[in-house]
Amino acid sequence: MKPRQPNILIVDDELQNRRLLAVLLGPEGYLTSSAASGEEALAAISTVAPDLILLDLMMPGIDGCAVASILKANPATAHIPIIMVTALVDRSARLAGLDAGAEEFLTKPVDRAELWLRVRNLLRLKALGAIESHSAELEQQVQARTVELQRFRTAMDATADAIMLLSHKTMRFVEVNATACAMLGYSRDELFSMSPCALDETDPQQLAGLCDALIALGTDTALSTSELVRKDGTRVQVDIHRQAMRSDNDWIIVAVVRDITARNEADRRLHHLAHHDPLTALPNRMLFYATLKKTLEVAIDSRWKVAVLFIDLDHFKAVNDTLGHMVGDELLIQFSERLTQCARIRDTVGRLGGDEFGVILVGQEGQQAAAVVAGKIGAALRAPFLLHGHEVSVSASIGITIHPDDSSDPDTLIKYADTAMYRAKQAGRDTYRFFTAQMNADALAQLDLESALRRAIDQEQFVLHYQPKLQLSDGRIAGVEALLRWQRPGVGLVPPNEFIPLLEETGLIVRVGSWVIAAACRQIAEWLASSVGAVHVAVNVSGRQFIDNDLDAEIALALEKYGVPGELLELELTETSMMANTERTIDILCKLKSRGVQISVDDFGTGYSSLSYLRRFPINKLKIDIAFIREVTTSPDDAAIVRAIISMARSLKLEVVAEGVENEMQLNYLRRHQCDEIQGFYVSRPLTAAALRELLACPPVLNLSEGNFARQVLLIVDDDALMLDMLADVFSADGYDILTAHSAADGFDLLALHDVQVILCDQQMPGMNGNVFLDIVRELHPETIRIMLSGQSDLLPIMGAINQGAVYRFYSKPWDNKLLRDNVRAAFQHYRAMQAMAAAQRALPLP
Ligand SMILES: Nc1nc2c(ncn2[C@@H]2O[C@H](COP(=O)(O)OP(=O)(O)OP(=O)(O)O)[C@@H](O)[C@H]2O)c(=O)[nH]1
């Protein structure tokens, strides 16, 4: 290649000089151009930069020094060598030229040889400088590239994904990052030297095909999920993004490889969590349902039977309430383990929610197998559970449905099993029930009843009936309890036990409860304004009314609306509803009490209340549950409970009302034991408002025999009528009220009716003998003095009775009249002494 001819710019204001210099340089192979002034020179240089400038020092306008200064100050022109040409010989002019940046000087007239020499040398020097700066530039570029490469490597190595660059031409890796080495267990060099096919067990042809497809894709990325083999033979699951990139005359396949083991594991765990119950690890309702659906599909094809067991723990809430949720949780865990052991491997056990579990049984037998498993579950629960140091026994109620007998639809089967479980609960729990068509009909009837109840609320089909309560101190009506009745169109009056549980269950009780409060207040106001006057009305409130409603505000509103004083309204709530939400209930009750509203605890004795617990509630009354009143005159246990409740109420300064009193015996017994009020059929059945008005206008006169301790009442019990007469004769002169009974049963009735103090009883009686009778009397009427008369020589049973405290004295027949009379007199004295002592103790202040 021919070297480029250097281009020299001659700047001089004298044409002669310019021509001369051009002539001198031409033969040496230089190209020349010229400028007649400094301004012209600067303009020319800005267009084409010359390789060298011959610059006249003295010029009009911009002189040589100024031109040199301008050029050297500009980085684009600073490298152009300048030879200053001057006629001046003085030193100061040369220095000014050098200061301005000129490299050389030539003196006019110019010597040809000197000119060539200077020009050549300067051009050489310039070329040398250019090379140096070029190589410095190259060096800089290489350094920058190295830094860039290093940065790229570092970035690649710092990437969590493996990055592998594959040459299409050589089918070898040309670059891999540290993550790739760590992921696969190979060093960089090992990866460079091996075939990529070894990593995913493809063959070279497959790999080539893959690369060709990528190249055809252009700039698009392809994603695939695959498994790579590590150096140690283990496998790693990966997502690979691949892209082909042009590189000179080759293609580089860039593969970004992500280890998805952790993600797959997280997906698996998430899937497990979504389908399993975290507490017991059993399939949850969703998976249980899906499994049942699949099982049914297979069963329909293969004519198998499928049984669904719906299992609900009995009284599980009590475990939570008494021992806490942690213990409840532990019970659910241990229960699920026992349940799983009752099923076979092919069966499915799941937790449907709360304390509800399900089992799917598949097989030929259906009903039989289901009964066996239900029995096994019942048996597995017999052994108590040890829960955080507490021994707890539980049972379960189980409902069973069978495909194809009951249904082949998963939803329906579960629903029917639930219905059957409910029946098992109703049958007393700890048992199982198969679903029957009747249950279905009942369930539908239940639904029907529910919608009828909703209509009843909207159409105000409810009425209140009123049952009076009698004050035992004076026999007057103390107040009434308002009882809800449903006048169902086309049906008549529906008994409360047929609809109140459903009102509770559906939550409708809150709306109905509000209606009851308003209706009771309206009725009180109506009576107040009439001749009837003030009547205390008690209404029942459900626990849900405390939770779902602002009960205090609601009652305040009703009292105000009807202008009723709070004192005439009483709320009855059960122990169980008080226990449910203690703090809120106490708060609301305190507010109500401050309005004068009376509070009584209904069905007392059936819940779990303790004395200390009761003290926290602002209550006025306890209502003893009917269950204890029914046999209060014959059952020592019931009598003991009733007496204990009355004495507890006394100590807490609460009034006591007995529910369900049906006869005179119960009335007298309760009266003698200081019960304040009674309610029950013996007083009156529940009445309509109109009937009650009549009753209040003309109150019943009840026979309330006077409790007079001055009277001395002696009860003589003997099945032999002659003996009875003889004994009555013996005491006729002693001034006692003598009662005679021919049997133990008669004796109980008389004891309930009268304030008997001393009992004389024959030992040998048909039915209940004297020993048993007096033993029961000891518990029913512990204050009585009991004397046994016996014609038998066997003293053992009598001694036993004396030792147990049932018998105070014993006499054998025939008796000595005087001795017997003396002893009976002593017995009455003993009775009086005991009563005086008990009264003195009662008078002591409470500890
Ligand atoms: N500890 C605990 N309790 C739960 C859990 N899930 C629900 N419960 C409670 O389980 C109880 C279920 O009560 P129910 O089945 O309605 O009533 P029950 O006391 O078992 O009475 P019956 O079923 O009528 O015999 C409720 O008190 C729930 O608060 C749980 O995961 N852990």
Side-chain angles (χ1 to χ4, degrees):
M1 207 169 52
K2 206 175 152 202
R4 193 175 65 85
Q5 286 178 293
N7 174 16
I8 297 171
L9 175 66
I10 302 161
V11 187
D12 202 315
D13 56 330
E14 293 284 341
L15 179 65
Q16 292 285 76
N17 291 343
R18 296 200 295 272
R19 279 199 182 142
L20 175 65
L21 286 170
V23 168
L24 289 176
L25 291 169
E28 287 301 301
Y30 300 117
L31 286 176
T32 56
S33 53
S34 58
S37 65
E39 291 82 353
E40 200 180 313
L42 290 173
I45 292 163
S46 70
T47 318
V48 181
D51 294 306
L52 190 141
I53 303 168
L54 287 170
L55 182 62
D56 183 21
L57 186 65
M58 296 294 289
M59 288 187 292
I62 303 176
D63 67 4
C65 281
V67 172
S69 300
I70 291 167
L71 292 176
K72 292 300 176 186
N74 181 356
T77 51
H79 64 283
I80 305 172
I82 298 173
I83 300 174
M84 203 65 94
V85 186
T86 176
L88 299 173
V89 287
D90 63 302
R91 200 167 164 268
S92 62
R94 283 171 179 249
L95 278 179
L98 278 176
D99 265 356
E103 276 81 6
E104 284 289 355
F105 277 88
L106 275 176
T107 315
K108 290 179 189 173
V110 173
D111 174 69
R112 186 170 50 178
E114 192 185 350
L115 171 71
W116 289 346
L117 189 69
R118 295 267 155 99
V119 167
R120 196 171 60 234
N121 285 347
L122 268 183
L123 285 174
R124 267 198 201 134
L125 271 172
K126 183 187 173 229
L128 201 67
I131 286 165
E132 270 174 7
S133 76
H134 181 62
S135 53
E137 206 172 284
L138 275 182
E139 176 84 20
Q140 242 176 5
Q141 275 176 11
V142 168
Q143 264 179 16
R145 188 97 183 93
T146 311
V147 169
E148 204 174 284
L149 211 68
Q150 199 57 47
R151 233 185 263 138
F152 170 67
R153 263 266 170 88
T154 313
M156 272 202 15
D157 285 349
T159 309
D161 293 333
I163 301 173
M164 308 169 94
L165 273 48
L166 178 73
S167 158
H168 182 235
K169 228 181 223 168
T170 62
M171 281 298 167
R172 285 288 184 271
F173 291 118
V174 289
E175 189 58 86
V176 292
N177 69 352
T179 313
C181 299
M183 183 190 289
L184 299 166
Y186 290 105
S187 69
R188 256 198 180 96
D189 289 341
E190 282 172 330
L191 283 170
F192 289 153
S193 63
M194 67 193 279
S195 163
C197 296
L199 289 179
D200 59 357
E201 297 176 324
T202 47
D203 59 42
Q205 261 175 334
Q206 263 179 301
L207 181 64
L210 181 90
C211 293
D212 290 345
L214 281 169
I215 292 166
L217 262 183
T219 51
D220 289 345
T221 317
L223 170 68
S224 61
T225 300
S226 170
E227 224 176 40
L228 299 183
V229 185
R230 294 196 184 94
K231 189 177 175 182
D232 63 7
T234 57
R235 287 162 183 276
V236 53
Q237 292 167 345
V238 289
D239 266 355
I240 309 178
H241 286 266
R242 292 189 181 91
Q243 191 180 9
M245 296 178 96
R246 183 89 218 174
S247 170
D248 295 332
N249 54 352
D250 192 4
W251 284 91
I252 297 293
I253 309 298
V254 181
V256 179
V257 183
R258 176 165 296 176
D259 182 345
I260 55 168
T261 318
R263 193 183 77 197
N264 284 353
E265 174 60 17
D267 283 353
R268 204 189 56 69
R269 284 223 315 276
L270 246 149
H271 185 269
H272 188 270
L273 272 178
H275 293 88
H276 289 80
D277 163 43
L279 184 70
T280 60
L282 287 179
N284 62 11
R285 182 176 271 271
M286 199 208 283
L287 181 56
F288 185 85
Y289 177 88
T291 311
L292 178 60
K293 195 159 175 256
K294 258 191 241 156
T295 309
L296 286 168
E297 282 162 11
V298 178
I300 289 166
D301 288 346
S302 49
R303 296 175 179 279
W304 283 344
K305 292 197 166 193
V306 178
V308 178
L309 275 64
F310 196 110
I311 304 150
D312 186 292
L313 284 174
D314 296 331
H315 302 303
F316 176 62
K317 192 171 173 302
V319 176
N320 272 340
D321 289 347
T322 50
L323 301 174
H325 264 70
M326 288 259 288
V327 174
D329 281 357
E330 183 59 26
L331 174 59
L332 292 174
I333 293 169
Q334 290 193 24
F335 172 73
S336 69
E337 284 160 7
R338 290 198 196 172
L339 191 58
T340 311
Q341 280 163 13
C342 294
R344 297 158 301 185
I345 296 202
R346 66 169 187 267
D347 302 331
T348 302
V349 178
R351 183 176 177 205
L352 304 178
D355 61 347
E356 296 169 351
F357 293 80
V359 179
I360 304 168
L361 306 173
V362 192
Q364 309 290 335
E365 317 93 329
Q367 198 154 342
Q368 246 174 323
V372 170
V373 174
K376 264 166 80 178
I377 295 169
L381 294 178
R382 299 278 175 265
F385 290 88
L386 189 64
L387 311 167
H388 300 299
H390 301 275
E391 243 190 34
V392 175
S393 292
V394 287
S395 59
S397 301
I398 305 173
I400 307 169
T401 34
I402 310 279
H403 150 83
D405 308 354
D406 302 323
S407 170
S408 296
D409 168 58
D411 275 326
T412 314
L413 279 172
I414 294 177
K415 195 176 79 190
Y416 283 177
D418 190 359
T419 308
M421 183 280 292
Y422 188 64
R423 279 306 161 97
K425 292 262 182 208
Q426 285 179 327
R429 295 177 167 77
D430 191 15
T431 186
Y432 63 86
R433 285 287 180 274
F434 281 94
F435 178 79
T436 63
Q438 182 56 44
M439 284 183 200
N440 199 15
D442 290 351
L444 288 175
Q446 185 95 339
L447 275 179
D448 185 44
L449 186 64
E450 189 182 327
S451 51
L453 278 172
R454 288 183 193 279
R455 271 198 307 278
I457 297 173
D458 295 338
Q459 297 171 5
E460 298 227 2
Q461 295 169 3
F462 293 108
V463 283
L464 289 183
H465 283 187
Y466 300 90
Q467 189 172 33
K469 287 184 264 187
L470 191 85
Q471 204 156 287
L472 286 175
S473 58
D474 54 12
R476 289 209 318 223
I477 303 254
V480 295
E481 178 180 356
L483 295 161
L484 186 65
R485 296 289 182 263
W486 177 21
Q487 198 79 51
R488 190 175 180 185
V491 177
L493 213 57
V494 185
N497 59 335
E498 282 183 23
F499 68 92
I500 290 183
L502 192 59
L503 286 179
E504 287 275 2
E505 217 172 280
T506 51
L508 291 173
I509 195 73
V510 178
R511 286 176 63 195
V512 177
S514 301
W515 177 86
V516 169
I517 290 166
C521 288
R522 195 170 52 221
Q523 185 61 70
I524 298 172
E526 204 180 300
W527 282 326
L528 258 183
S530 73
S531 58
V532 176
V535 180
H536 287 91
V537 177
V539 295
N540 292 282
V541 283
S542 147
R544 291 186 76 145
Q545 286 175 267
F546 283 87
I547 297 164
D548 299 0
N549 253 13
D550 186 352
L551 194 61
D552 172 50
E554 186 181 315
I555 290 177
L557 207 71
L559 292 174
E560 196 187 312
K561 180 173 175 189
Y562 296 105
V564 170
E567 292 71 24
L568 291 184
L569 186 68
E570 181 176 319
L571 301 187
E572 292 191 6
L573 56 155
T574 62
E575 286 178 85
T576 327
S577 63
M578 282 164 60
M579 301 258 296
N581 205 340
T582 321
E583 297 313 321
R584 186 170 159 82
T585 307
I586 291 177
D587 181 46
I588 294 174
L589 290 181
C590 285
K591 286 185 190 155
L592 287 169
K593 197 166 184 188
S594 70
R595 297 183 192 283
V597 175
Q598 305 279 297
I599 316 290
S600 72
V601 183
D602 207 1
D603 304 338
F604 188 78
T606 54
Y608 299 91
S609 313
S610 66
L611 191 66
S612 59
Y613 197 84
L614 268 185
R615 290 187 110 128
R616 302 178 56 203
F617 292 86
I619 48 182
N620 307 88
K621 276 185 197 170
L622 298 182
K623 284 188 87 176
I624 306 176
D625 192 70
I626 185 170
F628 303 109
I629 303 300
R630 250 181 233 122
E631 293 175 15
V632 70
T633 56
T634 51
S635 156
D637 288 346
D638 290 351
I641 290 172
V642 169
R643 287 198 310 273
I645 293 175
I646 294 173
S647 104
M648 185 179 92
R650 286 270 156 278
S651 64
L652 289 175
K653 307 223 175 335
L654 301 177
E655 285 177 52
V656 187
V657 185
E659 292 179 307
V661 174
E662 293 184 347
N663 57 48
E664 195 188 353
M665 276 84 76
Q666 291 165 334
L667 177 145
N668 277 339
Y669 184 89
L670 290 162
R671 182 161 181 259
R672 266 210 321 285
H673 288 94
Q674 272 84 44
C675 180
D676 299 294
E677 291 173 16
I678 58 162
Q679 181 181 343
F681 292 173
Y682 189 66
V683 179
S684 166
R685 289 179 170 271
L687 304 169
T688 60
L692 183 80
R693 192 187 173 114
E694 278 174 31
L695 182 99
L696 291 173
C698 182
V701 181
L702 286 173
N703 176 20
L704 295 177
S705 49
E706 278 305 310
N708 180 357
F709 293 125
R711 275 176 62 209
Q712 299 187 101
V713 186
L714 172 67
L715 170 67
I716 308 171
V717 188
D718 200 318
D719 60 304
D720 185 334
L722 187 67
M723 281 292 173
L724 266 185
D725 274 354
M726 283 168 65
L727 283 166
D729 269 357
V730 170
F731 298 105
S732 59
D734 293 336
Y736 307 135
D737 281 0
I738 299 173
L739 305 170
T740 53
H742 289 90
S743 66
D746 288 351
F748 286 132
D749 285 351
L750 289 171
L751 279 162
L753 283 170
H754 303 277
D755 194 8
V756 175
Q757 292 136 35
V758 178
I759 304 163
L760 196 58
C761 176
D762 179 31
Q763 188 194 12
Q764 283 285 306
M765 294 191 292
M768 189 181 286
N769 70 31
N771 289 334
V772 179
F773 173 70
L774 289 185
D775 197 29
I776 295 176
V777 171
R778 174 178 62 97
E779 294 189 54
L780 286 172
H781 306 274
E783 70 286 357
T784 52
I785 308 294
R786 299 166 292 276
I787 301 171
M788 181 93 89
L789 270 175
S790 172
Q792 266 204 333
S793 50
D794 183 7
L795 290 180
L796 265 180
I798 297 165
M799 293 315 292
I802 291 174
N803 286 338
Q804 282 170 15
V807 172
Y808 165 73
R809 288 277 192 277
F810 151 71
Y811 297 98
S812 57
K813 291 177 181 173
W815 59 84
D816 174 324
N817 276 355
K818 181 168 182 318
L819 192 66
L820 191 59
R821 286 175 64 194
D822 287 349
N823 275 288
V824 167
R825 194 174 306 115
F828 276 107
Q829 279 165 2
H830 184 70
Y831 176 86
R832 282 193 291 276
M834 298 293 286
Q835 291 302 307
M837 211 155 75
Q841 267 173 2
R842 276 201 299 271
L844 289 175
L846 276 176

